[in-house]
Amino acid sequence: MAAPVLLLLRALRPPVSAASSRFPSLEPVLPPSSCVVSSGWRTPPARTLQLCPALCAGHNKWSKVKHVKGPKDEARGRMFMKFGMMIRIAVKEGGSNPELNLNLAHILEQCRSKNMPKASIDAAIKSAEKAKPASQHMFEARGPGGCLLLVEVLTDNNSRTHQEIKRLLNKNGGMLSDGARHNFQRRGVVVVPGQNITTERALELAIEAGAEDIQETEDEEEKPLLQFLCDVADLNKVRASLKELGMEVLSAGLEFVPRTHAPLDEDHLDAASILIEGLNDCPDVVRVWDNIQAHS
């Protein structure tokens, strides 16, 4: 397994050149159990960013496993339903005008990037404005192999949803577990295509855009993606900066990013996939966040 790449870039000076290999082998600076790309501030103006592809390989493998299975049309319909719930939450929190509600604007951008019809988006916003009051909750859970999960729900019946989430967890090797949320940090995440972008260029883009971390991953078609992580308050600025730098922004939004990852073997990975798929099938579940990393 290749070791992480560590490049130190200083303000107003050219970045350190990367080796000719996309992921050169350098002395490791992180334990191999983590796929999170870390950054740290030292004496200003120095700043350190890491791109950790070898470790992220396990995360990429998991991203392929956990994509929704079944007929494409069915998966598409389920995805649009979840987007509708996300719109409802955003409208509840900040109103229906995306110019005044950045969270809603970012969700609508994700909807468009996934080819959700404009009529469906408009209907979801109108429906959110007229929707009956509903409660938003986050369930903390532990899954197969000790992985941690955050289950975001929107419900008009707290007791019913609590019992259903508990049933699905117990049925599939999981359990409710207070404290799981401490392993996640809410971050702004801007996603761009990763084709033909070298490690050196990715780090340059992060510095220029004001991002704190970079992660490599893949979409459901195994196309490379780059995720630029930033403080929640900086999301719009980083998104705009990347666009100005000529990058195509596929999505931008707020996500719960794990601080550490749980490496799972094939058996636990399959069990976790079944559990998360079952949770996503629950009508009240909006999203499921996990800290899973597949063994490479």
Side-chain angles (χ1 to χ4, degrees):
M1 179 182 293
V5 178
L6 175 63
L7 293 181
L8 178 66
L9 297 99
R10 293 184 177 272
L12 304 180
R13 293 182 59 184
V16 177
S17 297
S20 58
S21 168
R22 177 165 171 78
F23 302 122
S25 178
L26 302 179
E27 184 174 344
V29 293
L30 279 181
S33 60
S34 174
C35 179
V36 178
V37 182
S38 65
S39 65
W41 289 96
R42 298 180 182 176
T43 305
R47 180 179 180 183
T48 302
L49 287 175
Q50 282 183 177
L51 187 60
C52 193
L55 303 181
C56 285
H59 186 67
N60 289 348
K61 184 178 179 182
W62 165 237
S63 71
K64 299 172 192 175
V65 172
K66 72 176 180 179
H67 281 306
V68 177
K69 300 175 183 177
K72 192 171 183 179
D73 289 344
E74 180 182 337
R76 179 182 168 90
R78 184 191 306 175
M79 178 177 64
F80 290 167
M81 181 185 73
K82 299 301 183 184
F83 275 136
M85 297 175 75
M86 292 164 64
I87 289 172
R88 184 175 174 186
I89 291 173
V91 169
K92 175 186 173 185
E93 292 177 343
S96 60
N97 186 348
E99 294 182 1
L100 303 176
N101 185 342
L102 288 179
N103 189 29
L104 176 60
H106 294 142
I107 292 171
L108 296 183
E109 185 174 50
Q110 292 179 53
C111 292
R112 288 189 284 269
S113 73
K114 295 296 184 181
N115 299 317
M116 185 173 179
K118 185 178 184 300
S120 299
I121 295 175
D122 293 341
I125 295 175
K126 291 179 181 179
S127 175
E129 292 175 319
K130 302 174 183 178
K132 296 179 181 179
S135 301
Q136 183 182 0
H137 293 284
M138 188 75 75
F139 289 98
E140 301 170 86
R142 186 175 296 274
C147 65
L148 300 177
L149 307 173
L150 295 182
V151 185
E152 183 181 5
V153 303
L154 183 67
T155 179
D156 56 5
N157 188 321
N158 294 336
S159 177
R160 179 199 67 209
T161 301
H162 180 271
Q163 291 302 317
E164 179 62 8
I165 297 298
K166 187 176 180 180
R167 183 189 72 80
L168 288 168
L169 288 168
N170 291 339
K171 177 183 177 183
N172 295 289
M175 66 179 71
L176 292 173
S177 177
D178 290 340
R181 187 165 181 168
H182 296 310
N183 191 64
F184 294 83
Q185 183 179 11
R186 202 173 196 205
R187 308 288 299 277
V189 180
V190 183
V191 181
V192 306
Q195 295 99 324
N196 303 319
I197 298 180
T198 64
T199 302
E200 181 180 356
R201 181 56 182 155
L203 293 167
E204 289 175 356
L205 287 168
I207 291 293
E208 293 177 43
E212 297 175 356
D213 302 328
I214 319 167
Q215 289 183 353
E216 281 197 323
T217 185
E218 294 177 341
D219 63 13
E220 59 270 22
E221 297 177 355
E222 300 187 19
K223 294 179 181 178
L225 301 174
L226 288 175
Q227 297 179 327
F228 292 84
L229 278 62
C230 61
D231 187 83
V232 170
D234 294 333
L235 175 61
N236 214 37
K237 181 186 74 174
V238 172
R239 173 185 173 278
S241 296
L242 286 169
K243 279 196 168 186
E244 289 175 4
L245 291 166
M247 301 305 298
E248 176 191 359
V249 174
L250 299 177
S251 67
L254 304 179
E255 300 186 12
F256 283 96
V257 178
R259 299 178 189 272
T260 60
H261 286 78
L264 301 186
D265 59 25
E266 289 294 334
D267 290 341
H268 285 138
L269 207 61
D270 290 342
S273 179
I274 293 171
L275 169 59
I276 292 175
E277 190 173 352
L279 290 169
N280 277 317
D281 282 340
C282 177
D284 294 336
V285 171
V286 182
R287 283 173 291 191
V288 180
W289 313 95
D290 66 75
N291 74 332
I292 295 171
Q293 176 186 323
H295 276 306
S296 300

